Amino acid sequence: MHKLAIEGGSPIQGEVAVSGAKNAALPLLAAALLSDEPLTLSNVPRLVDVDTMLGLLAQMGVAIERDGDSVTLDASTIDNPLAPYERVKTMRAAILVLGPLVARAGEAKVSLPGGCAIGARPVDQHIKGLTAMGAEVSVQHGYILATAPKGRDGGRRLSGARLFTDMVTVTGTENLMMAAALAQGETVIENAAREPEVADLAECLNRMGARISGAGSDEIRIQGVARLHGARHRIMPDRIETGTYLCAAAATGGKIRLSGALAASLEAVLDKLAESGCKIAVDGESISLEAPTKLRSVSLRTSPYPAFPTDMQAQFMAVNAVAEGTAVIRETVFENRFMHAVELSRLGADIKIDGNTAVVKGVARLEGATVMATDLRASASLVIAGLAAAGETVIERIYHLDRGYEQLEQKLLALGARVRRLK
Ligand code: EPU
């Protein structure tokens, strides 16, 4: 298992380019299942999660061609509408094939994901929505079995419906929006997730001939069409990767410039960094950050977009660990997303957890130690803390980072960090 060794204690400085967004890429790859014509995506990040999704699609009969940062997917034949447990357990986003498969192939067998390091994460809302669209859904031996109803012509097709999700769910909204794109009639998704990745997916689906309006708001309207055609789409920049590097610069007293970024997608994060005393400048697609000599701690509460993202909570805990003052962090999206707190404490951070609240008292100095990564964003927070800590930090189980940060070491090296991958 690979480890990451970081010799910390000095500011990171320089410029790096932001990669395509993981959480936009995964639903967009699944969207290829909706058409019998090729979909070409560019700005596809090289990540283990992307490879997992491509492997899953290939297993279903999708032909895949990679060319630099572009991927062309040809789903003219889907001969095996199955997402086996082995794939879904390594990447929960594999659930994103459920909606497209039922809509296009008329049937799907997708493993239930089960719990994970950050919470129980059920998929009941995905199932509820598909059922409302006429699908027959059952759970057998750990698998979701779904079939679309038979129409007069003998083909299987979902029907449009008015859908309301009990909570805001990102992949739930995406799954239902993709399913509705090929349904008969109109679907309205109320309480829809407003995340920019949902809007990016809708934009691509519309390029494929879908009729979707309102994506990016909490009410999405989809007029179902009989078929979707091929298209080309460039994946939006990764707002969480962007925020992670900005936090690394803030925590180390550094100064960086990120190119190819989309500042409008991370306003809540930029706002908190400004509150901590960082100087931020946005110029077109670039974001620059200069850390203050004394960083102030910032309290925050995670919530669905456009509020502060849960995917940036761990990184801000690391920032607060070295800031002046006491911060209160409330996690309201996932029930168990503080696993990084104990590991940060091993580096000398002062963090107390009570239920969904963490109280972080800034300390003058963190010290390097060996720590263990538990999930993707927890790992990112340990990298940030390791960069800020004096001496060497060794992060174990960095496969989590490879799932979601493209060329992490190369980018950190470009920013002057002293990092090594230990094999
Ligand atoms: N939920 C349910 N039932 C459902 C769906 C969701 O109870 O049917 C609950 C979840 O358990 C959670 C909350 O609703 O408490 C929100 O979950 P959501 O469905 O929005 O999460 P997700 O779609 O599974 C995506 C991202 C996550 C990100 C969350 C929240 C992708 C591929 N994943 O997950 O990203 O944390 O939205 O913004 O888009 C990451 O990148 O590290 C990551 C975990």
Side-chain angles (χ1 to χ4, degrees):
M1 245 184 255
H2 295 188
K3 302 174 185 186
L4 192 69
I6 304 176
E7 188 63 40
S10 37
I12 64 162
Q13 245 146 14
E15 177 168 343
V16 284
V18 173
S19 296
K22 167 180 83 83
N23 290 348
L26 297 174
L28 284 163
L29 291 169
L33 289 168
L34 289 165
S35 173
D36 59 1
E37 289 180 10
L39 172 66
T40 299
L41 300 171
S42 57
N43 204 26
V44 180
R46 290 209 166 255
L47 299 170
V48 172
D49 272 8
V50 165
D51 292 340
T52 305
M53 184 60 97
L54 289 174
L56 174 61
L57 295 172
Q59 214 174 6
M60 292 176 188
V62 179
I64 295 162
E65 261 177 54
R66 268 181 124 142
D67 178 14
D69 76 355
S70 288
V71 177
T72 298
L73 304 109
D74 178 344
S76 44
T77 47
I78 300 173
D79 41 40
N80 185 22
L82 165 77
Y85 177 62
E86 290 66 40
R87 301 265 181 195
V88 185
K89 79 168 182 211
T90 56
M91 187 190 68
R92 303 176 46 86
I95 192 74
L96 284 163
V97 300
L98 178 64
L101 281 179
V102 189
R104 165 102 189 286
E107 56 172 339
K109 182 175 175 187
V110 176
S111 172
L112 273 173
C116 73
I118 61 177
R121 300 182 79 181
V123 290
D124 54 310
Q125 302 302 310
H126 304 231
I127 295 176
K128 181 176 122 176
L130 289 173
T131 307
M133 294 167 82
E136 212 165 279
V137 187
S138 63
V139 175
Q140 289 173 28
H141 305 290
Y143 277 84
I144 304 166
L145 305 176
T147 38
K150 256 198 183 132
R152 271 194 228 114
D153 61 354
R156 294 191 176 276
R157 194 165 178 201
L158 294 168
S159 14
R162 231 186 144 74
L163 309 178
F164 184 87
T165 55
D166 296 354
M167 78 289 295
V168 175
T169 156
V170 179
T171 51
T173 302
E174 292 164 345
N175 237 336
L176 298 175
M177 187 167 78
M178 289 191 279
L182 285 181
Q184 171 92 48
E186 186 187 62
T187 298
V188 180
I189 308 176
E190 304 268 14
N191 199 26
R194 289 181 280 171
E195 268 65 5
E197 292 78 12
V198 174
D200 201 36
L201 173 64
E203 195 183 309
C204 175
L205 293 173
N206 282 342
R207 283 210 178 114
M208 295 167 76
R211 292 172 60 202
I212 302 172
S213 61
S217 80
D218 61 2
E219 186 185 282
I220 304 178
R221 278 179 188 270
I222 306 126
Q223 306 289 340
V225 295
R227 64 180 294 272
L228 294 177
H229 51 73
R232 291 177 168 272
H233 179 78
R234 183 175 169 82
I235 297 174
M236 64 172 287
D238 197 313
R239 63 192 166 101
I240 306 300
E241 186 200 26
T242 307
T244 302
Y245 285 105
L246 293 176
C247 282
T252 59
K255 186 177 171 184
I256 64 168
R257 184 162 179 269
L258 297 173
S259 58
L262 182 60
S265 67
L266 73 159
E267 278 178 3
V269 170
L270 296 180
D271 190 60
K272 285 291 160 190
L273 286 166
E275 199 181 314
S276 76
C278 294
K279 246 193 252 156
I280 292 164
V282 176
D283 180 11
E285 288 185 353
S286 92
I287 305 178
S288 310
L289 178 144
E290 188 177 346
T293 32
K294 279 201 173 146
L295 199 63
R296 284 190 299 271
S297 61
V298 283
S299 292
L300 56 96
R301 178 178 184 276
T302 69
S303 262
Y305 193 84
F308 189 90
T310 173
D311 287 346
M312 283 303 301
Q313 177 259 106
Q315 298 88 320
F316 265 76
M317 195 178 280
V319 170
N320 277 316
V322 295
E324 250 185 20
T326 300
V328 178
I329 298 181
R330 286 216 167 79
E331 172 59 57
T332 77
V333 179
F334 291 110
E335 65 273 21
N336 187 26
R337 210 175 193 180
F338 281 149
M339 304 280 274
H340 41 282
V342 206
E343 299 298 310
L344 290 172
S345 301
R346 303 200 66 248
L347 299 175
D350 181 348
I351 305 168
K352 299 223 162 36
I353 305 286
D354 182 11
N356 74 345
T357 304
V359 178
V360 189
K361 228 187 240 175
V363 295
R365 172 185 144 103
L366 294 177
E367 279 176 7
T370 298
V371 287
M372 181 112 80
T374 48
D375 75 79
L376 173 57
R377 309 305 170 187
S379 313
S381 84
L382 296 175
V383 171
I384 294 169
L387 289 169
E392 188 180 65
T393 294
V394 175
I395 305 177
E396 296 192 342
R397 294 202 186 159
I398 56 158
Y399 57 83
H400 292 293
L401 286 165
D402 296 332
R403 295 183 49 190
Y405 288 92
E406 187 177 46
Q407 298 202 307
L408 179 80
E409 296 116 271
Q410 289 87 333
K411 290 191 186 186
L412 287 174
L413 286 169
L415 292 170
R418 287 168 290 170
V419 292
R420 273 175 311 135
R421 185 179 282 250
L422 309 175
K423 293 192 176 164

